[in-house]
Amino acid sequence: MAAYIVRRVAGAIPLLLLISAIVFSLIALAPGDPLLTMRMENPRAVSPEAIARLRAYYHLDDPLPVRYLYWLKSVLQGDWGYSSTYKVPVKDLVVSRMPNTLLLTVSAWLLGLLVALPIGIISAARKYSIFDYAVTFAAFLALSMPPVWFGFLTIMLFAVQLKWLPIGGVAELTHGTAGALLVDRIRHLILPMTVLGLVQVAYWVRYVRTSLLEVLGMDYIRTAKAKGLGEQGVLLKHALRNALIPVLTIAALDIPYFFGGAVVVETIFSWPGMGRLMYQAVIGSDYNLALCCLMLLAVLTIASNLVADVLYAVVDPRVSYS
Amino acid sequence: MSYWAGVWKRLRHHKLAVAGFAVFVALVLASAFVPLISPYGIEDMDLESLFAPPSRAHPFGTDELGHDVFVRIMYGGRISLFVGIAAATSSALLGTAIGLVSGFAGGWVDSLLMRFTDMMLSVPTIPVLLIGAMFLGSGLTNIIVILTIFGWMSTARLVRGVTLSLREQPFVEAARAAGAGTLRILVRHMLPNLIPIVIVAATLGVSSAILAESALSYLGLGIQPPTPSWGNMLQRAMDYILGAGGDWGQPWWLTVFPGLFILLAVLSVNFMGDGLRDAIDPRLVLGSQAGSGASAADERGGSTIPQAADAAGKAD
């Protein structure tokens, strides 16, 4: 098992290098020149000579592969460069925003699972009941809902009209008791978390249902029922354990989608996280920042694929991981 | 009874699909012929009523310049529906080509193309679309190109799966024995059998393209104002609502109606695609291996009718 994990992690390194090369070239070739933007913003302070010096300093006139190697070298030393819009080191910026995004995505992911599992299980257990049809229809509706619009509607209803929850941001209170601070954070979290989780809940409900129904049709379930075991016991003890294996895998594989969705959700709710940062970096052609965000996303995608595979091998003894 | 007559018969009995088709056609017609059905033009400003709530004169209210919101939505529909249909069609074509080559060639070509497809599928959509938009810039053609580049993968996987099973069918062997070349076999013998599933994939692709366009336009990387699209109408509306900071007296209609039309369009297309999938039932043409390339990604298609979803699940 340990050898399997080590091998998978080792296999991810060349992939990561390849992706970093692709992403680096894409960003380097993208239109827009931050140095020129700097000069346009402040022509007197930034002379053409200064631009030329900076170009030389950042190796901007070297061929692309050489630039990539320079970049890789400094990144491996922990230097991601400066953000051209925020005028601070990219690393500091990302480190300060990362916790917010983790809070948002992890809670949306957990909420999604907590909602999807029971609904999917009941839907499968009461196949073709009114509940089942209602759930299927609701899932369809959720999948057709533009997330941006859903976000707006929740803001308009719960924040603007009812004033139950804040419009955006992560927190209002700067000091107070620990309890008050916690409540404040949670109040800010509720809407973005719900909007981010909605689409995945719809996918997962359908997935749990299909997976469970598939297992329920198997011979060993019929045997268990024939032995006289109760309906509920068979469902929860015998069927669910096998049905959850693919569900767990999918839930792990979907983690990157939460970070992708965070771009839109964080923008809607002014949530100072990585998603909004990436969006601002792309809009403002802030190369270093965009590169850092994208690389983090790539690492995360590869890591969640890895976790899904390992998880699959751990929970399912039938999978051989040689 | 021919195959397509059978499809039509099954489709007619799928009530939600018929309703979806009717709504979608109505949306397309309304946005195409909006100048004929509305007394207002797209640039007409009613300066007497800026930010007017829905009324008899303006059923969906007016915006900050006194434009009639209903008319703007219809004109926005031209863009959004066109982007959706065009992007879905070109993604389906690209996906079919890649899936066909991959499935038919097999060997290293197949594994290379499928590894690439998997890679593209595992990347979260929105950041990738952001990069694409940054690269190509916004504008109608570019949006369609971007959505195509990042929208072909599920079709390719599906087509590859079916091609793999078709390749082993006796009629392909017969064609080869009769002296048909590879290109002829692909075009004359494989492609016609792939059309049904490609139509389903393309239909469902319309809904995801409309959703993607709305997200991109909201982020300011899609269709640029003053040309209205459903996505950029949403974006502008929210600026006013948050800017006002007041009560429910705000122009809620600017947000609610464009979004409602996105939902309506996407939902109707999804119902249509769902019904088409059930009606086409690839097992009738292709035998039971049909969905062998299917996986969790295809599960995402979903089905409105639980039985149909189960049947589709078993075919996989």
Side-chain angles (χ1 to χ4, degrees):
Chain A
M1 189 70 219
Y4 171 73
I5 296 177
V6 168
R7 204 168 56 243
R8 285 300 312 265
V9 172
I13 291 171
L15 186 61
L16 212 52
L17 280 176
L18 178 73
I19 292 176
S20 73
I22 295 173
V23 171
F24 183 85
S25 326
L26 272 178
I27 298 278
L29 294 171
D33 182 344
L35 291 179
L36 216 60
T37 318
M38 250 167 80
R39 179 159 161 70
M40 264 154 52
E41 280 167 359
N42 199 349
R44 270 196 295 181
V46 188
S47 63
E49 293 77 44
I51 296 273
R53 250 197 335 272
L54 283 170
R55 287 194 76 83
Y57 180 77
Y58 288 117
H59 310 285
L60 287 185
D61 297 316
D62 289 338
L64 197 58
V66 179
R67 282 172 63 189
Y68 170 68
L69 290 178
Y70 276 120
W71 175 79
L72 194 64
K73 188 179 154 216
S74 52
V75 162
L76 289 177
Q77 289 163 348
D79 176 14
W80 289 83
Y82 270 79
S83 153
S84 64
T85 41
Y86 287 87
K87 324 282 185 208
V88 289
V90 165
K91 204 165 100 184
D92 299 355
L93 203 56
V94 168
V95 167
S96 73
R97 298 294 182 87
M98 202 55 173
N100 287 336
T101 293
L102 283 177
L103 175 68
L104 176 63
T105 47
V106 169
S107 50
W109 190 81
L110 282 176
L111 177 80
L113 270 187
L114 284 178
V115 172
L117 281 178
I119 293 182
I121 292 170
I122 298 173
S123 201
R126 310 215 187 299
K127 191 164 73 156
Y128 306 150
S129 65
I130 293 175
F131 180 83
D132 188 23
Y133 277 99
V135 164
T136 311
F137 192 82
F140 226 74
L141 203 65
L143 293 178
S144 305
M145 183 88 82
V148 175
W149 188 57
F150 183 60
F152 287 174
L153 291 186
T154 61
I155 290 182
M156 284 163 63
L157 184 60
F158 295 107
V160 176
Q161 174 69 0
L162 297 171
K163 297 193 194 305
W164 288 351
L165 295 165
I167 286 176
V170 275
E172 273 159 30
L173 299 179
T174 44
H175 46 268
T177 62
L181 285 174
L182 185 69
V183 169
D184 186 44
R185 294 295 301 242
I186 293 174
R187 274 167 44 88
H188 281 81
L189 186 60
I190 292 175
L191 289 185
M193 175 177 75
T194 312
V195 174
L196 187 57
L198 176 82
V199 176
Q200 293 298 330
V201 167
Y203 282 133
W204 288 347
V205 163
R206 305 194 48 75
Y207 202 82
V208 171
R209 180 183 178 278
T210 312
S211 174
L212 191 55
L213 280 181
E214 206 167 291
V215 173
L216 282 174
M218 287 184 170
D219 287 342
Y220 80 93
I221 297 295
R222 200 175 42 195
T223 310
K225 281 184 187 163
K227 279 199 314 183
L229 294 179
E231 197 75 35
Q232 207 161 6
V234 172
L235 182 74
L236 294 179
K237 284 216 179 96
H238 294 72
L240 198 57
R241 288 180 64 166
N242 276 326
L244 284 185
I245 293 172
V247 172
L248 264 181
T249 316
I250 286 292
L253 278 176
D254 278 347
I255 291 174
Y257 283 92
F258 281 84
F259 284 81
V263 173
V264 169
V265 173
E266 287 180 1
T267 309
I268 297 174
F269 290 97
S270 318
W271 185 269
M274 292 291 301
R276 204 157 71 109
L277 203 61
M278 184 187 322
Y279 168 60
Q280 288 165 342
V282 168
I283 294 286
S285 32
D286 191 337
Y287 292 167
N288 290 335
L289 189 56
L291 257 173
C292 185
C293 294
L294 286 170
M295 281 315 296
L296 271 178
L297 198 68
V299 170
L300 204 90
T301 306
I302 293 174
S304 47
N305 273 300
L306 209 100
V307 168
D309 281 359
V310 172
L311 212 61
Y312 200 76
V314 170
V315 293
D316 192 345
R318 289 168 299 186
V319 177
S320 71
Y321 36 84
S322 53
Chain B
M1 190 167 64
S2 81
Y3 171 67
W4 288 107
V7 168
W8 175 238
K9 194 175 162 221
R10 283 190 293 276
L11 193 59
R12 256 187 358 222
H13 290 290
H14 196 297
K15 289 195 192 73
L16 282 171
V18 173
F21 186 70
V23 168
F24 191 71
V25 168
L27 281 175
V28 170
L29 289 179
S31 50
F33 296 111
V34 62
L36 300 180
I37 57 175
S38 169
Y40 310 104
I42 185 175
E43 297 297 341
D44 285 0
M45 295 184 228
D46 188 349
L47 295 174
E48 304 282 291
S49 47
L50 308 180
F51 288 127
S55 63
R56 191 178 288 263
H58 301 285
F60 289 179
T62 63
D63 66 7
E64 76 278 13
L65 297 172
H67 293 132
D68 183 82
V69 172
F70 175 75
V71 172
R72 303 280 296 177
I73 289 177
M74 288 298 115
Y75 278 94
R78 289 184 172 186
I79 302 286
S80 295
L81 294 173
F82 177 72
V83 168
I85 294 170
T89 311
S90 50
S91 310
L93 291 178
L94 183 62
T96 306
I98 291 177
L100 198 56
V101 169
S102 186
F104 197 77
W108 65 269
V109 176
D110 184 34
S111 29
L112 191 74
L113 283 175
M114 281 303 115
R115 286 307 290 271
F116 181 61
T117 309
D118 287 343
M119 199 180 88
M120 294 286 283
L121 267 177
S122 71
V123 180
T125 329
I126 304 240
V128 172
L129 287 176
L130 272 183
I131 301 301
M134 174 173 85
F135 225 75
L136 289 171
S138 46
L140 191 62
T141 322
N142 289 336
I143 298 303
I144 295 171
V145 171
I146 291 166
L147 292 180
T148 304
I149 296 177
F150 301 109
W152 53 269
M153 290 85 74
S154 53
T155 314
R157 282 247 288 248
L158 214 59
V159 167
R160 172 185 172 269
V162 179
T163 306
L164 279 179
S165 65
L166 276 177
R167 198 175 59 171
E168 307 303 328
Q169 301 276 324
F171 69 83
V172 174
E173 206 180 330
R176 201 184 293 283
T182 303
L183 194 66
R184 190 180 163 81
I185 291 179
L186 284 179
V187 175
R188 289 296 299 274
H189 299 278
M190 310 284 270
L191 213 49
N193 284 298
L194 289 167
I195 286 174
I197 61 151
V198 172
I199 289 178
V200 174
T203 309
L204 293 170
V206 173
S207 61
S208 51
I210 292 176
L211 282 179
E213 186 274 329
S214 79
L216 267 186
S217 288
Y218 165 69
L219 294 172
L221 290 162
I223 307 299
Q224 300 297 318
T227 308
S229 83
W230 289 341
N232 71 30
M233 287 179 79
L234 272 183
Q235 180 212 6
R236 276 152 57 101
M238 213 51 197
D239 289 346
Y240 289 110
I241 287 177
L242 292 183
D247 287 313
W248 196 238
Q250 298 161 16
W252 54 268
W253 53 92
L254 293 183
T255 305
V256 169
F257 292 120
L260 206 58
F261 273 78
I262 302 178
L263 178 66
L264 205 62
V266 173
L267 201 60
S268 66
V269 173
N270 278 342
F271 282 144
M272 219 157 70
D274 189 39
L276 265 175
R277 177 173 34 207
D278 297 347
I280 273 170
D281 195 355
R283 281 162 303 163
L284 288 180
V285 234
L286 301 169
S288 58
Q289 304 117 306
S292 58
S295 72
D298 303 319
E299 166 62 27
R300 303 183 151 242
S303 178
T304 30
I305 301 201
Q307 289 103 320
D310 301 340
K314 284 192 191 96
D316 288 347

